[in-house]
Amino acid sequence: MRTRRVVREYTDHRIDDTTLDQMLAAMLAAPSASNKQAWAFVAVREPRMLRLIRAFAPGIIGHPQLIVAACFDRTRAARPEGRVPGAWEVGLLCVGMAVENLLLAAHALGLGGCPVSSFRKDPIRTLLDLPAHLEPVLLVPIGHPAQPVEPNHRRDRNEVISYDSWNQRATADR
Amino acid sequence: MRTRRVVREYTDHRIDDTTLDQMLAAMLAAPSASNKQAWAFVAVREPRMLRLIRAFAPGIIGHPQLIVAACFDRTRAARPEGRVPGAWEVGLLCVGMAVENLLLAAHALGLGGCPVSSFRKDPIRTLLDLPAHLEPVLLVPIGHPAQPVEPNHRRDRNEVISYDSWNQRATADR
């Protein structure tokens, strides 16, 4: 977890079936609200499909060998719309957790990737033949890192963590 | 990742500073949109505070020794409101990823926890002294598991994963 970084540029080294299967198994082991697993994923490795998806996803910078489209499944939502938080919000949290497992598994296998929310939903939906109840949330390009993975800037821990209540950041007696 | 399960009942064994620090470090290593780390966390171990939080969080079932309140920080959002997806949606995804790291680290350290979205936001906000720009998203109770952690039901993989496009689930030629 501590050495994972976002990887945006990839070599043209292919991702084999075994590696893909390991990553998908890790992804599906994520927690989900009421264990509904209200999600669906499309794992794309076909070169023409990868090219087409990239055309509609400005957030994908390099040429990944795999793109996983992570979707929320509205028909299986743990919570009805209209409650706070609603089905959509809870669905986003679950999809986020599954995608983090995918990224951690990729990293553990020597690969790297990046969660991308900047894409055009309607063309992606058409390209992937998604039915109306599947809502694409994140695209996750994955590949072998083209460059060594460097540490990135992290906010000071005292800025983002407090103990027992928010105003006890500086003075925490732990 | 594969052996982590939701843990809802805990022993009264305390969580020490070192263990807490390791979990928080893993949590803060999660990816975030544009690396903005638009989040903030309150780690609560004080017994009276734990009791008060539980009173406003029906989703917390057992008596955890730690509750981490995971918040979205509106002032640091990577993306302005009004875009699709908006700041709030992207913020939920990032907080979800950080919480998954926290849960995985807890599991690796012999602890267990559970993401809880069922809580009353206003009393929690008051209790934790949260300023207006911090939006509590999930409460994460953590403790030593009271029972052995059992595998749970998982949807069939062919139900949730397809290859190259959604209609190629059953017929995937990989």
Side-chain angles (χ1 to χ4, degrees):
Chain A
M1 281 184 260
R2 291 210 210 186
T3 55
R4 184 214 51 81
R5 294 289 178 273
V6 154
V7 172
R8 295 179 198 277
E9 312 232 21
Y10 318 95
T11 69
D12 55 8
H13 197 92
R14 213 176 155 275
I15 294 172
D16 62 45
D17 288 356
T18 312
T19 306
L20 177 59
D21 282 350
Q22 286 179 285
M23 290 190 286
L24 298 179
M27 180 178 75
L28 295 181
S32 65
S34 305
N35 193 27
K36 292 283 184 185
Q37 304 159 60
W39 52 39
F41 305 90
V42 186
V44 177
R45 287 185 298 176
E46 201 274 305
R48 187 175 153 273
M49 282 294 288
L50 290 172
R51 243 186 347 260
L52 285 167
I53 293 175
R54 278 176 29 230
F56 296 111
I60 300 179
I61 291 163
H63 292 211
Q65 294 294 310
L66 165 69
I67 297 174
V68 177
C71 309
F72 168 54
D73 183 341
R74 292 189 181 278
T75 59
R76 300 188 65 100
R79 193 179 287 233
E81 293 288 355
R83 286 192 56 187
V84 177
W88 171 237
E89 291 173 318
V90 171
L92 289 174
L93 290 164
C94 299
V95 169
M97 292 186 192
V99 165
E100 175 60 353
N101 273 19
L102 172 64
L103 291 168
L104 290 170
H107 178 62
L109 293 161
L111 301 166
C114 175
V116 168
S117 64
S118 172
F119 61 88
R120 289 177 56 201
K121 274 206 181 179
D122 289 340
I124 293 295
R125 183 185 277 295
T126 306
L127 264 176
L128 299 177
D129 276 323
L130 295 178
H133 68 281
L134 296 186
E135 192 70 52
V137 171
L138 285 172
L139 297 178
V140 190
I142 290 176
H144 291 80
Q147 284 103 28
V149 177
E150 304 284 351
N152 63 4
H153 167 75
R154 289 283 150 178
R155 293 175 67 190
D156 189 280
R157 192 172 163 142
N158 293 326
E159 232 181 272
V160 290
I161 291 190
S162 71
Y163 299 92
D164 293 326
S165 82
W166 184 249
N167 56 13
Q168 286 180 43
R169 263 171 308 163
T171 60
D173 172 16
R174 303 170 51 211
Chain B
M1 283 185 258
R2 292 210 209 185
T3 55
R4 183 214 51 81
R5 295 289 177 274
V6 153
V7 172
R8 296 179 197 278
E9 312 232 20
Y10 319 95
T11 68
D12 56 8
H13 196 91
R14 212 176 156 276
I15 294 172
D16 62 45
D17 288 355
T18 312
T19 305
L20 177 59
D21 282 350
Q22 287 179 284
M23 290 192 286
L24 297 179
M27 181 178 74
L28 295 181
S32 65
S34 306
N35 194 28
K36 292 283 184 185
Q37 303 159 60
W39 52 39
F41 304 91
V42 186
V44 177
R45 288 185 297 177
E46 202 274 306
R48 186 175 153 273
M49 282 293 290
L50 289 172
R51 242 183 351 258
L52 285 166
I53 293 174
R54 279 176 29 229
F56 296 110
I60 299 178
I61 293 165
H63 292 210
Q65 293 296 308
L66 166 69
I67 297 174
V68 177
C71 308
F72 168 54
D73 182 342
R74 291 189 182 278
T75 59
R76 300 188 66 100
R79 193 178 286 235
E81 293 288 356
R83 285 192 57 187
V84 178
W88 171 237
E89 291 173 320
V90 171
L92 289 173
L93 289 165
C94 299
V95 169
M97 292 185 192
V99 165
E100 175 60 353
N101 273 19
L102 172 64
L103 291 168
L104 290 171
H107 178 61
L109 293 162
L111 301 167
C114 175
V116 168
S117 64
S118 173
F119 60 89
R120 289 176 57 199
K121 275 204 179 179
D122 288 341
I124 293 296
R125 184 185 277 293
T126 305
L127 264 177
L128 299 178
D129 276 323
L130 294 179
H133 67 282
L134 297 186
E135 192 70 51
V137 170
L138 286 171
L139 297 178
V140 189
I142 291 176
H144 291 81
Q147 285 104 28
V149 177
E150 303 284 350
N152 63 5
H153 167 74
R154 287 284 151 177
R155 293 175 66 191
D156 188 281
R157 193 172 162 142
N158 293 327
E159 233 180 272
V160 290
I161 291 191
S162 70
Y163 299 92
D164 294 326
S165 82
W166 184 249
N167 56 13
Q168 287 181 41
R169 261 169 309 162
T171 60
D173 172 15
R174 302 171 51 211

